[in-house]
C-alpha cells in the first residue's frame, strides 16, 4: 500500500497540477487556450482509455512490468512536451504519450494488485489509503510546480517533474507480481475474462456506477484544468490558484481515508450519493459569495474532501459485484467512462471561456450533473458491509445499544 501510494503521489500529483502550465505554455508558444485545453482533455481520455488494457495485462501477466513501462513512458512524454512548438506535437506528447504512461501506472493496476492480498472487508479502506497518496501528491506538486515554473520556466519545471517521476520506478519492486495463491476463494475464480466482462455490462448496478463516475471525471478535469483560469478571472494571483489546488489535494487525503474507512460500515452507494450531492451544494454556494482568497481556500477544502474520494467506494462496489480476479480490468473500464467525462470537462471549459469570457455555464452544468449522479447511485444493488453482516439480527442487547 505504501509503494502504491507513493507512486500515485508523484504521477497523479504532478498530473493534477498540469493546469498551472496552461498559461505559461500559451504565453511562450501562442498555441491558444482551446488547443491547450484539447491537449489536456485528450490526456484525460487516454489516461482512462489505457486503464482496462493495462489492468488486463497486469491481471494476466503481473503488475511490475506494466507499472515500470507506464512510469517511464510518462516521464518520456513530459520531456517531449518541452520541445512542443505547435498544437499537434503538444497533443501527442502531453495528451497521448504521458497520459498513456500515467494511466498504465495508476489506480486500476495499483488497487487491483494490492486488493488481491487484502481481506474483502478492508478493500475499501486499502483503496482509500492508496488514493490518499494521489491527493497528498496534489497538495505537494501544485505549489511545487508553481515554484519550479517561476524559478526555471515551464520547460525547466516540466523536466524536473519528469526526473522525479522516473525515480518512482524503483517503488515497483515491493509490489506483488503474482496472482492470489488460492483462486478458489474468489467469487469468479473459474470464469475467464470474457465471461466476466460481458455479464458486467448487463448488470444494471455496474452501468449506473459508470454513469455516476462520468460526472466525477467531468467535475475533476474541469476544475484541475480551469480553476487557475477562474482564479485569474476573479483578480487573484497564480499563487492563490496553486495553493487552491494544493488545498484540494490535502483535503482529499482526509476525505479518501475517511470514506475508505466508512465503506466498512455503510453501503458505498450511499457514500457516493452524498459526495456527489455535496458537490452541487458547494458550487451553488460558491456562485453566491464574493470571490476572495478565503473563498477559494474554503471552496477548495469542501471540494477536496470528495475530490478523488469516490475511488474507494467505486472500487469497493466493483469488487463486491464481481470479485477481485479481474478487478484491475473491470475497475479500469469504469475509469474509461470517468475520463470520457474528464475529456468533456477539460475541453468544454476551454470552449466556454473562449466563447463567453466566463465559466458560469460550466459551473451550472457541473452542478446539474452532480445532482444527477447522486440520484443514479441510489438504485445500485450492493450487499451490506461485512461488519454489518456479522452483527446478529436477533441480538436484542446489541440492537438496543
Amino acid at each position: 500500500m505504501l509503494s502504491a501510494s507513493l507512486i500515485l503521489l508523484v504521477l497523479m500529483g504532478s498530473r493534477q497540477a498540469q493546469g498551472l502550465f496552461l498559461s505559461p505554455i500559451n504565453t511562450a508558444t501562442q498555441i491558444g487556450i482551446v488547443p491547450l485545453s484539447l491537449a489536456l482533455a485528450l490526456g484525460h481520455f487516454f489516461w482512462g482509455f489505457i486503464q482496462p488494457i493495462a489492468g488486463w495485462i497486469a491481471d494476466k501477466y503481473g503488475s511490475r512490468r506494466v507499472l515500470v513501462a507506464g512510469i517511464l513512458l510518462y516521464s518520456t512524454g513530459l520531456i517531449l512536451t518541452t520541445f512542443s512548438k505547435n498544437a499537434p506535437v503538444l497533443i501527442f506528447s502531453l495528451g497521448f504519450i504521458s497520459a498513456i504512461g500515467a494511466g498504465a501506472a495508476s489506480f486500476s493496476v495499483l488497487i487491483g494488485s494490492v486488493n488481491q492480498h487484502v481481506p474483502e472487508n478492508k478493500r475499501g479502506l486499502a483503496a482509500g489509503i492508496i488514493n490518499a497518496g494521489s491527493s497528498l501528491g496534489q497538495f505537494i506538486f501544485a505549489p511545487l510546480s508553481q515554484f519550479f515554473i517561476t524559478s526555471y520556466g515551464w520547460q525547466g519545471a516540466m523536466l524536473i517533474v519528469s526526473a522525479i517521476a522516473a525515480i518512482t520506478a524503483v517503488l515497483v519492486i515491493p509490489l506483488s507480481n503474482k496472482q492470489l495463491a488460492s483462486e478458489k476463494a474468489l467469487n469468479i475464480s473459474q470464469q475467464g475474462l470474457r465471461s466476466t466482462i460481458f455479464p458486467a455490462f448487463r448488470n444494471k448496478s455496474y452501468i449506473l456506477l459508470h454513469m455516476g463516475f462520468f460526472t466525477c471525471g467531468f467535475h475533476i478535469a474541469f476544475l484541475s484544468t480551469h480553476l487557475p483560469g477562474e482564479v485569474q478571472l476573479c483578480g487573484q494571483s497564480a499563487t492563490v490558484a496553486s495553493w487552491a489546488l494544493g488545498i484540494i489535494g490535502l483535503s482529499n487525503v482526509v476525505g479518501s481515508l475517511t470514506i475508505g474507512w466508512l465503506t466498512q460500515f455503510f453501503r458505498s452507494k450511499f457514500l457516493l450519493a452524498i459526495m456527489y450531492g455535496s458537490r452541487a451544494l458547494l458550487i451553488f454556494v460558491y456562485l453566491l459569495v464574493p470571490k476572495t482568497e478565503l473563498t477559494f481556500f474554503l471552496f477548495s477544502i469542501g471540494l477536496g474532501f470528495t475530490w478523488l474520494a469516490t475511488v474507494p467506494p467505486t472500487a469497493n462496489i466493483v469488487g463486491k459485484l464481481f470479485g477481485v480476479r479481474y478487478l484491475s480490468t473491470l475497475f479500469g473500464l469504469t475509469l474509461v467512462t470517468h475520463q470520457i467525462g474528464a475529456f468533456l470537462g477539460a475541453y468544454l471549459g476551454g470552449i466556454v471561456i473562449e466563447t463567453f469570457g466566463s465559466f458560469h455555464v460550466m459551473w451550472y452544468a457541473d452542478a446539474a450533473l452532480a445532482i444527477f449522479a447522486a440520484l443514479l447511485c441510489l438504485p445500485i444493488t450492493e450487499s451490506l458491509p461485512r461488519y454489518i453482516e456479522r452483527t446478529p439480527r436477533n441480538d436484542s442487547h446489541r440492537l438496543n445499544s
Side-chain angles (χ1 to χ4, degrees):
M1 285 192 292
L2 179 60
S3 296
S5 295
L6 290 174
I7 290 171
L8 279 181
L9 185 149
V10 175
L11 268 63
M12 283 297 293
S14 58
R15 273 183 56 78
Q16 292 291 335
Q18 285 180 352
L20 296 169
F21 287 85
L22 226 63
S23 181
I25 292 176
N26 187 44
T27 301
T29 63
Q30 299 298 311
I31 289 176
I33 291 297
V34 173
L36 284 170
S37 298
L38 177 60
L40 291 184
L42 288 171
H44 286 300
F45 173 76
F46 285 117
W47 179 88
F49 174 79
I50 195 63
Q51 299 246 5
I53 300 173
W56 173 76
I57 297 172
D59 283 335
K60 191 169 184 178
Y61 300 107
S63 58
R64 286 180 183 167
R65 292 179 181 177
V66 175
L67 292 170
V68 170
I71 290 168
L72 296 181
L73 200 59
Y74 174 65
S75 180
T76 301
L78 295 183
I79 294 172
L80 293 176
T81 301
T82 63
F83 298 98
S84 302
K85 303 297 181 182
N86 54 58
V89 177
L90 185 73
I91 288 172
F92 176 75
S93 58
L94 191 62
F96 181 71
I97 296 296
S98 70
I100 290 288
S106 194
F107 291 109
S108 61
V109 176
L110 291 170
I111 290 178
S113 176
V114 172
N115 274 6
Q116 291 188 13
H117 303 276
V118 175
E120 181 179 347
N121 63 319
K122 299 292 184 182
R123 288 173 192 157
L125 178 60
I129 293 171
I130 295 168
N131 191 47
S134 69
S135 304
L136 184 60
Q138 183 173 336
F139 171 71
I140 293 172
F141 273 92
L144 193 61
S145 295
Q146 186 61 50
F147 171 76
F148 289 153
I149 291 170
T150 303
S151 302
Y152 307 107
W154 74 268
Q155 290 171 310
M158 195 75 77
L159 291 173
I160 293 172
V161 172
S162 171
I164 295 172
I167 295 172
T168 62
V170 300
L171 296 171
V172 172
I173 296 172
L175 288 170
S176 172
N177 204 38
K178 299 178 180 179
Q179 305 299 341
L180 277 176
S182 176
E183 292 191 351
K184 292 181 180 180
L186 301 175
N187 296 334
I188 54 169
S189 58
Q190 302 303 320
Q191 297 181 14
L193 178 61
R194 181 178 299 179
S195 59
T196 301
I197 289 179
F198 290 128
F201 280 100
R202 291 194 295 267
N203 186 302
K204 182 188 72 173
S205 296
Y206 188 60
I207 296 301
L208 291 173
L209 203 61
H210 274 262
M211 295 171 69
F213 224 29
F214 170 91
T215 295
C216 182
F218 184 95
H219 170 87
I220 289 177
F222 164 57
L223 286 170
S224 63
T225 304
H226 296 293
L227 184 60
E230 171 74 3
V231 171
Q232 186 177 11
L233 283 175
C234 295
Q236 303 296 330
S237 68
T239 302
V240 173
S242 65
W243 277 109
L245 288 174
I247 289 171
I248 288 174
L250 184 62
S251 181
N252 194 231
V253 173
V254 179
S256 293
L257 294 174
T258 301
I259 298 300
W261 177 74
L262 288 175
T263 59
Q264 301 174 95
F265 308 100
F266 301 97
R267 282 192 171 103
S268 293
K269 67 175 185 177
F270 294 137
L271 297 175
L272 286 172
I274 291 170
M275 285 191 285
Y276 289 138
S278 70
R279 291 179 180 183
L281 179 62
L282 280 167
I283 289 170
F284 287 133
V285 171
Y286 166 77
L287 292 173
L288 293 174
V289 298
K291 307 302 184 290
T292 63
E293 286 187 18
L294 181 61
T295 297
F296 282 110
F297 293 155
L298 292 176
F299 183 53
S300 298
I301 292 172
L303 286 178
F305 190 83
T306 70
W307 187 251
L308 286 171
T310 55
V311 169
T314 301
N316 192 42
I317 291 175
V318 174
K320 284 183 177 182
L321 291 173
F322 309 108
V324 297
R325 175 65 179 87
Y326 295 112
L327 177 61
S328 293
T329 307
L330 291 172
F331 180 56
L333 288 168
T334 68
L335 286 168
V336 173
T337 305
H338 184 280
Q339 294 309 109
I340 292 173
F343 170 83
L344 293 174
Y347 186 46
L348 291 179
I351 293 176
V352 165
I353 188 63
E354 188 82 4
T355 305
F356 300 105
S358 75
F359 291 108
H360 278 82
V361 172
M362 291 296 294
W363 286 119
Y364 288 120
D366 192 14
L369 284 172
I371 294 172
F372 183 58
L375 296 175
L376 287 175
C377 291
L378 299 179
I380 291 175
T381 302
E382 180 192 359
S383 62
L384 284 169
R386 283 294 183 89
Y387 178 85
I388 304 299
E389 289 178 347
R390 287 199 301 268
T391 302
R393 298 286 182 180
N394 59 352
D395 190 334
S396 58
H397 172 73
R398 198 172 288 196
L399 287 173
N400 288 334
S401 64

